[in-house]
Amino acid sequence: MGSATEYNRRDIFKRAAAVTVMAAAGGPLLAACAAGGGSGSNSGVGATATGSATNPFGVKSSDPLDVVIFNGGYGDDYAKAIEGIYKATYTGATIAHLATQEISGKLQPRFNAGNPPDVIDDSGAQQMKIDVLEKASQLTDLTVLLDAPYRDDTSKKIRDVLLPGTIDQGTIDGKMYSLNYVYTVYGLWYSNKLFKEKGWTPPKTWDDFITLCGTIKAAGIAPFCHQGKYPYYANYLILDLIAKQGGLDLVKRIDALDPSAWDDPAALAGVSAFFEIMQKDYLLTGTNGMTHTESQTAWCQGKAAFIPCGSWLENEMIKITPADFDMAFLPVPSQSGDKLPQVAVRAGAGEPFIVPSKAKNQAGGLEFLRIMLTKEASGKFAAAANSLTVLKDGIGPDVVLKPGTKSSATAVTAAGTNTFNFTYPDLQTAFDQALQNATNELVNSRMTPQQWIAAAKAATSKKV
């Protein structure tokens, strides 16, 4: 699979955060959308809660609802299920449903004509740029959604039931314009079946991880593989080791491209821990040159024990993974002196949903989002798409999850407030590329951890 496909897949989960990058790329759309509504002012983009606790936006049952869903890795069955919940409440509504990968192609003319849909899953390679739409006053400020009653317990507000970071991920200039619905968890993955067969215990400390890797190698299996052609996967592990050692303040300093962040002893400790994998020859042969699908296929075939990835892994490999593989998630093992606990995980929200400011049924669009944030809808999404949503404790006991999704959900619950995320991959792409280049040298043992740190520090000058 070529790099273009890989980065398009990655966009599904991460593009929502890239507001500064998108601004540079979105001029033509801004000009086009500006023709449809007052660019520069925020008039007409607000909404008010005028109804009751059960119908806070004042939805009229007879008003039709127009829904557009990005038909990517998650499909659209979950959306149809949510539409069913909507119709059960607003029985007079007819719902137009479009599933497409041509988001901008299908919708830009409608925005320009002042006739956008009521709610949009704005994702994929043809995503309409959220910052551009916001500057053109084409988006509804979702603060009214955040302050609306939670359908499952109207004593709570929507903002009270969202996982950490969800609101920030959809916020521009202090207001939330997109609901990023999918909660992605990052860490290491393994086959629980393999581990049970071999009597191996998933490690909680890095020392135990390295010791286990020796045992795995002795059994004739490569301890570790990674998606070598895309070094940012290895950086998930390196930067997670650094984050857990150095704490949240160091994460912020790295994102801010603070050169002194790389002088923190936690940085060298993290990359040095990772480098032990190369020093002890624990890599799967050839993994440094593999694409994501090649390495993940080898891992599914039992050729390697551990692989770093986000929680989209299970759905992405669903056609290749053996039925009894029993995929499992492992938080990055802890080092001595870590500032974050062993259960801490990198996690964040993606897959943005928007309500256009000129939507004919703006109230219905907001209500659709409120319905999405129920245990029933969250469970239907998890079952259909093998991924978590941003609803706290959003998976009820009645929902049957695939093993990998279930274990990542368990990890998020165990982490509680001990989650973190990096913004630099989206907001500082030149720095990110330089860091990937350095990691490519590191995994090929052409660079030492000290040289990697020096390269990272030098790359902080590569600001967008």
Side-chain angles (χ1 to χ4, degrees):
M1 184 176 290
S3 60
T5 303
E6 161 59 18
Y7 279 103
N8 289 347
R9 184 201 58 73
R10 186 189 185 198
D11 282 347
I12 295 173
F13 307 95
K14 309 197 76 176
R15 193 175 293 220
V19 291
T20 59
V21 177
M22 292 190 295
L29 181 57
L30 174 58
C33 286
S39 177
S41 75
N42 282 330
S43 60
V45 300
T48 56
T50 58
S52 63
T54 55
N55 184 9
F57 311 119
V59 177
K60 296 178 181 177
S61 183
S62 59
D63 284 352
L65 185 72
D66 192 346
V67 180
V68 176
I69 300 296
F70 171 66
N71 193 14
Y74 303 125
D76 69 327
D77 286 346
Y78 73 91
K80 293 176 181 177
I82 294 168
E83 290 162 9
I85 301 172
Y86 186 99
K87 277 190 66 66
T89 304
Y90 305 102
T91 54
T94 57
I95 299 179
H97 174 99
L98 172 65
T100 181
Q101 293 191 5
E102 301 175 32
I103 295 295
S104 62
K106 296 286 188 183
L107 298 188
Q108 185 173 337
R110 293 189 58 182
F111 271 85
N112 292 345
N115 182 37
D118 301 315
V119 63
I120 303 164
D121 172 14
D122 184 28
S123 192
Q126 290 193 32
Q127 178 200 44
M128 301 187 77
K129 312 306 185 209
I130 290 176
D131 64 327
V132 173
L133 291 171
E134 184 273 330
K135 288 175 182 174
S137 299
Q138 294 284 351
L139 296 180
T140 299
D141 175 2
L142 298 182
T143 301
V144 66
L145 172 69
L146 297 177
D147 291 332
Y150 172 46
R151 275 178 63 110
D152 293 347
D153 179 356
T154 55
S155 70
K156 297 179 181 179
K157 294 182 178 181
I158 291 293
R159 65 170 71 248
D160 300 326
V161 299
L162 300 177
L163 284 168
T166 302
I167 294 174
D168 292 341
Q169 200 75 9
T171 295
I172 301 174
D173 295 333
K175 296 180 179 180
M176 191 175 100
Y177 290 99
S178 65
L179 170 66
N180 290 270
Y181 188 60
V182 184
Y183 203 68
T184 302
V185 191
Y186 302 82
L188 292 171
W189 298 80
Y190 64 97
S191 164
N192 201 36
K193 178 197 176 190
L194 174 65
F195 273 53
K196 285 182 177 179
E197 286 178 349
K198 299 294 186 181
W200 299 335
T201 301
K204 292 186 176 181
T205 71
W206 193 256
D207 286 344
D208 287 345
F209 173 81
I210 291 298
T211 299
L212 178 59
C213 283
T215 302
I216 292 169
K217 184 177 180 181
I221 299 171
F224 184 84
C225 68
H226 69 110
Q227 302 83 339
K229 285 197 173 181
Y230 311 110
Y232 64 83
Y233 284 91
N235 280 345
Y236 292 152
L237 178 51
I238 296 172
L239 271 293
D240 284 10
L241 285 164
I242 292 173
K244 294 178 91 163
Q245 178 79 180
L248 298 180
D249 180 65
L250 185 57
V251 171
K252 292 178 182 177
R253 290 165 61 202
I254 288 172
D255 278 337
L257 269 56
D258 177 357
S260 69
W262 299 102
D263 298 326
D264 191 302
L268 183 58
V271 70
S272 296
F274 175 80
F275 194 60
E276 291 182 71
I277 295 172
M278 275 60 69
Q279 287 179 307
K280 292 179 165 50
D281 192 26
Y282 288 158
L283 284 180
L284 172 68
T285 300
T287 192
N288 288 343
M290 290 182 181
T291 66
H292 63 298
T293 49
E294 289 169 344
S295 62
Q296 290 162 194
T297 297
W299 173 71
C300 287
Q301 292 170 342
K303 295 177 182 177
F306 291 106
I307 192 168
C309 200
S311 51
W312 61 79
L313 177 65
E314 185 167 46
N315 210 48
E316 187 169 62
M317 304 307 294
I318 198 164
K319 294 181 180 179
I320 293 182
T321 308
D324 60 350
F325 189 80
D326 199 5
M327 192 178 295
F329 175 84
L330 178 71
V332 171
S334 59
Q335 303 173 79
S336 177
D338 274 1
K339 290 185 178 179
L340 295 180
Q342 181 269 330
V343 295
V345 292
R346 183 198 299 220
E351 196 75 6
F353 282 73
I354 58 175
V355 175
S357 59
K358 293 181 180 290
K360 290 182 179 178
N361 190 4
Q362 185 186 60
L366 290 166
E367 183 67 3
F368 186 89
L369 298 185
R370 196 170 76 104
I371 291 172
M372 287 174 66
L373 295 167
T374 60
K375 281 206 170 186
E376 181 182 4
S378 183
K380 289 181 183 298
F381 177 84
N386 301 309
S387 293
L388 308 178
T389 75
V390 295
L391 179 67
K392 289 179 184 176
D393 301 320
I395 308 299
D398 57 322
V399 179
V400 179
L401 299 175
K402 291 195 174 295
T405 305
K406 185 176 182 179
S407 67
S408 62
T410 300
V412 169
T413 300
T417 58
N418 290 301
T419 60
F420 61 92
N421 203 4
F422 287 93
T423 62
Y424 78 82
D426 293 310
L427 302 184
Q428 299 293 348
T429 55
F431 169 78
D432 179 44
Q433 188 58 57
L435 212 58
Q436 291 188 50
N437 294 343
T439 295
N440 185 55
E441 296 300 300
L442 187 76
V443 296
N444 284 287
S445 297
R446 296 190 294 259
M447 182 178 277
T448 66
Q450 290 79 4
Q451 290 170 327
W452 188 93
I453 291 291
K457 186 173 183 177
T460 59
S461 65
K462 298 180 180 293
K463 294 189 178 183
V464 173

